[in-house]
Amino acid sequence: MDKKDVQVDRGDLKQNLSEKFVWAIAYGSCIGWGAFILPGDWIAKSGPMSSAIGLIIGALLMILIAVSYGALVERFPVSGGAFAFSFLGFGRYVSFFSSWFLTFGYICVVALNATAFSLLIKFLLPDVLKTGKLYTVAGWDVYITEIIIASLLLIVFMFIAIVGASVSGSLQYYFCVAMVITILLLFFGSFFGSNFSLENLQPLTNEHSGWLTSIVAIVAVAPWAYVGFDNIPQTAEEFNFSPNKTFKLIVYSLLAAAITYVVMIFFTGWLSTSSKSLNGNLWLTGAVTQEAFGYIGLAVLAIAIIMGIFTGLNGFLMSSSRLLFSMGRAGIMPTVFSKLHPRFKTPYVAIIFLVTITLIAPWLGRTALTWIVDMSSTGVSIAYFITCLSAAKLFSYNKASNTYGPVYKTFAILGTIVSFIFLCLLLIPGSPASLSIPSYIALAGWLVIGLIFFFVRYPKLKQMDNDKLSQLILNRTEDELVDLINENKSTKANQ
């Protein structure tokens, strides 16, 4: 395949995403359902102040990592994001596994949003969903009604993703606007709530764990809490603006997400009338909202959550399908994933595959949410680590180099260290945020499936032409990449 053919193939992805739509994809994906469902869990685990500090630190660390994404997108505005960047730095084999785990992280988030929607309905209409009990998982009763609701939601968004590629960005933007308005109403209204008191924030941290452990436990959640900013690089081929604006959009989305998380933690904390409520409610934020404002307040909160769930589903189905599309187009994954819908020009096979896998999650029950969060954090942390390493390898401190970028290289090194620390916190047993046994088992299972895929694909992977891969993945010939990456070495040789 010559370069002209590659460009024709790339042209099927339309450049119709504006800056505000791309920002909405990132912000809406970062927030999802977690900001409204999990504050009670975080407060019980670490206390309100430690949770807020941990999430702010997490956002700042994510910005360190985001520098590498912004710098790489500016030079390689292609679909696939971390997949393309890991190929740039380490070739086809590393990019396969890096992208495999990132795909897993994305699938987890899609599943989480669908399952959280069932949880919301269960809280609002408990009698309706408590019919058709099937079994119990880790102490949680699973009902067929919950499974049906979550599954239908996934299927609806599957069709939106297939049919509505041209409007996904605008849908995301209006979902985000609605979500922000409802969050502001809740926050400012909370000062007038009947159960509002700053005394309710006590204790500020988990008194048994202490400040440091409490904060670190929340910081470790950051890769999951802020996963979504990397959806921007996934859609880079569809920007209708200059890719050098990428980093700015990522920072804005991360700061907005951090503010949202902190606002909802304090909202939940200062409306909690007693420490007993931390353990006595299925969903603390919903309980305190209902106590303070009745069903009107609960309806406003429900709108915020529904918008968050919709933005998560829409954003991650869009970005994860682009990831699989890019891998399929290059032949790293089966080429069927690069197949576009004849009418809508969307990677419909990839979308159907992703939704099919996520349809498993509703059968696992509420307890599985914690397992999935942990696994998702691990998957995206691996992608962050490889991307920052790739940026550190590409950029140079040598002024004569084509890739001279001392600031980028320094931030890439810092981002690599931060990503590695995140991985250690998650994977080393005994750390404040180490995975649970079910999470380890599921992660190992995904690795085994990946290895099977890899060995099946290995003969084809080994025979692929480097020039063809470079053009398909990075839209650069192999010679162009060699000149770019080896410039530092050649200038030293000439000196």
Side-chain angles (χ1 to χ4, degrees):
M1 182 181 294
D2 60 26
K3 191 166 183 178
K4 182 179 179 182
D5 290 330
V6 174
Q7 290 173 328
V8 169
D9 184 46
R10 289 181 173 280
D12 284 323
L13 291 174
K14 307 299 181 184
Q15 294 181 329
N16 55 12
L17 291 176
S18 67
E19 288 181 59
K20 68 178 182 179
F21 293 167
V22 170
W23 172 85
I25 288 170
Y27 169 67
S29 299
C30 285
I31 293 304
W33 59 277
F36 312 104
I37 302 292
L38 291 180
D41 295 345
W42 290 333
I43 290 171
K45 183 177 185 178
S46 295
M49 188 59 71
S50 290
S51 297
I53 292 171
L55 285 164
I56 291 171
I57 292 173
L60 295 176
L61 294 176
M62 287 295 109
I63 289 175
L64 285 181
I65 294 171
V67 173
S68 294
Y69 278 87
L72 290 170
V73 169
E74 186 175 341
R75 285 155 182 79
F76 301 96
V78 294
S79 185
F83 162 62
F85 305 148
S86 58
F87 173 80
L88 170 70
F90 300 99
R92 64 193 73 182
Y93 303 127
V94 172
S95 68
F96 174 90
F97 284 104
S98 173
S99 303
W100 180 255
F101 280 104
L102 181 60
T103 304
F104 183 55
Y106 285 170
I107 288 172
C108 288
V109 178
V110 173
L112 280 166
N113 279 287
T115 310
F117 188 74
S118 287
L119 181 65
L120 171 64
I121 302 300
K122 188 171 187 175
F123 182 87
L124 297 175
L125 304 167
D127 295 334
V128 173
L129 289 197
K130 287 187 177 179
T131 54
K133 179 180 175 181
L134 299 177
Y135 45 80
T136 301
V137 177
W140 186 265
D141 295 335
V142 178
Y143 295 88
I144 189 64
T145 44
E146 289 180 281
I147 295 171
I148 291 172
I149 288 174
S151 300
L152 286 175
L153 186 69
L154 283 167
I155 292 168
V156 166
F157 272 89
M158 178 184 75
F159 283 108
I160 290 174
I162 293 171
V163 177
S166 62
V167 296
S168 289
S170 57
L171 273 177
Q172 191 82 353
Y173 178 73
Y174 292 118
F175 287 156
C176 284
V177 169
M179 183 166 63
V180 169
I181 290 172
T182 51
I183 290 168
L184 291 175
L185 284 173
L186 290 167
F187 179 71
F188 289 110
S190 67
F191 297 111
F192 304 98
S194 58
N195 45 341
F196 169 79
S197 174
L198 293 178
E199 293 296 321
N200 292 334
L201 294 174
Q202 298 292 338
L204 296 178
T205 190
N206 186 314
E207 295 176 324
H208 297 291
S209 302
W211 282 94
L212 181 61
T213 301
S214 297
I215 291 172
V216 169
I218 301 299
V219 170
V221 180
W224 170 81
Y226 297 109
V227 61
F229 81 80
D230 50 317
N231 284 353
I232 289 180
Q234 302 295 350
T235 58
E237 238 172 276
E238 296 162 88
F239 291 174
N240 68 1
F241 56 89
S242 173
N244 63 12
K245 297 180 179 179
T246 301
F247 177 65
K248 175 187 72 173
L249 292 173
I250 289 175
V251 171
Y252 289 165
S253 66
L254 285 170
L255 292 177
I259 292 169
T260 302
Y261 279 120
V262 171
V263 162
M264 292 310 301
I265 285 172
F266 285 131
F267 170 87
T268 304
W270 61 44
L271 291 182
S272 302
T273 52
S274 74
S275 59
K276 293 180 182 178
S277 64
L278 293 176
N279 299 315
N281 288 291
L282 164 68
W283 173 33
L284 182 60
T285 304
V288 300
T289 302
Q290 185 175 357
E291 184 180 350
F293 309 111
Y295 284 101
I296 293 177
L298 199 58
V300 174
L301 179 60
I303 292 171
I305 297 170
I306 291 169
M307 291 301 100
I309 290 171
F310 285 0
T311 57
L313 285 169
N314 189 49
F316 279 102
L317 275 178
M318 187 176 182
S319 61
S320 57
S321 63
R322 297 324 186 261
L323 174 62
L324 278 183
F325 166 79
S326 181
M327 294 174 74
R329 178 170 62 183
I332 299 290
M333 289 287 279
T335 53
V336 69
F337 290 128
S338 67
K339 192 173 182 180
L340 297 178
H341 193 281
R343 178 182 173 188
F344 303 113
K345 300 300 180 184
T346 52
Y348 72 104
V349 175
I351 294 168
I352 293 170
F353 172 76
L354 289 163
V355 172
T356 301
I357 293 178
T358 57
L359 285 171
I360 299 170
W363 296 82
L364 301 178
R366 164 79 162 107
T367 312
L369 286 178
T370 305
W371 305 342
I372 297 172
V373 167
D374 291 343
M375 293 183 292
S376 177
S377 298
T378 307
V380 297
S381 293
I382 291 170
Y384 294 160
F385 178 65
I386 298 297
T387 297
C388 290
L389 268 180
S390 298
K393 186 176 178 181
L394 174 68
F395 292 107
S396 171
Y397 286 128
N398 180 5
K399 289 184 179 179
S401 171
N402 277 346
T403 57
Y404 174 67
V407 174
Y408 288 149
K409 190 173 183 72
T410 301
F411 274 97
I413 293 170
L414 291 173
T416 301
I417 295 169
V418 169
S419 304
F420 183 72
I421 291 171
F422 278 135
L423 279 172
C424 290
L425 285 171
L426 290 163
L427 297 178
I428 296 176
S431 80
S434 60
L435 299 181
S436 61
I437 297 300
S439 297
Y440 278 119
I441 294 171
L443 199 61
W446 187 252
L447 176 60
V448 169
I449 296 171
L451 287 169
I452 293 171
F453 256 100
F454 177 76
F455 286 117
V456 169
R457 300 292 300 171
Y458 181 73
K460 291 185 179 180
L461 285 173
K462 189 177 180 181
Q463 293 173 7
M464 285 179 182
D465 178 68
N466 278 334
D467 188 60
K468 179 181 175 181
L469 278 176
S470 295
Q471 291 183 55
L472 283 168
I473 298 173
L474 297 167
N475 204 22
R476 302 277 189 98
T477 65
E478 185 182 14
D479 288 341
E480 288 173 337
L481 287 178
V482 169
D483 289 343
L484 178 69
I485 296 171
N486 292 337
E487 178 70 16
N488 187 26
K489 295 177 182 177
S490 62
T491 52
K492 283 183 177 180
N494 292 331
Q495 291 174 347

